[in-house]
Amino acid sequence: QRQLVESGGGLVQPGGSLRLSCAVSGIVFSIYSMRWYRQAPGEQRELVAGISSSGTATYVDSVKGRFTIARDDAKNMVYLQMNNLQVDDTAVYFCNARMGPEYNYWGRGTQVTVSS
């Protein structure tokens, strides 16, 4: 029916960079809003970045200027470039595709750990 598969997580030092990827299948990708969420253990899931079907990007204040979301409709891919990573960025990052409440799909997540 649909599949979202994240990749690119790992261990990085503060100030380092990672690029997360999400491969999407089973939906008409180009009409969905794509989002990246993150969740640390015991904490609420947080919307980090989103990009609309038209390419308009939004970010939570804590990552503005450091993270960039992008989509490639030809490849059914969405990316999150994360620069100047900080310890507080440590979380599981989830890819989400949404077009209303009945069309809302999630990946399984990829771990990002920032530690010196």
Side-chain angles (χ1 to χ4, degrees), residues 31-71:
I31 66 174
Y32 277 74
S33 294
M34 299 300 302
R35 297 172 175 179
W36 287 96
Y37 289 77
R38 66 187 180 187
Q39 187 169 25
E43 299 184 4
Q44 296 274 4
R45 186 176 297 177
E46 177 187 36
L47 176 62
V48 178
I51 185 166
S52 72
S53 60
S54 63
T56 301
T58 58
Y59 304 92
V60 68
D61 285 345
S62 61
V63 309
K64 286 181 178 177
R66 300 189 297 121
F67 290 11
T68 303
I69 188 171
R71 65 189 297 156

Side-chain angles (χ1 to χ4, degrees), residues 85-103:
L85 283 160
Q86 304 299 311
V87 172
D88 287 348
D89 296 318
T90 296
V92 177
Y93 284 71
F94 297 91
C95 181
N96 169 260
R98 187 177 188 272
M99 189 181 66
E102 296 181 355
Y103 302 94

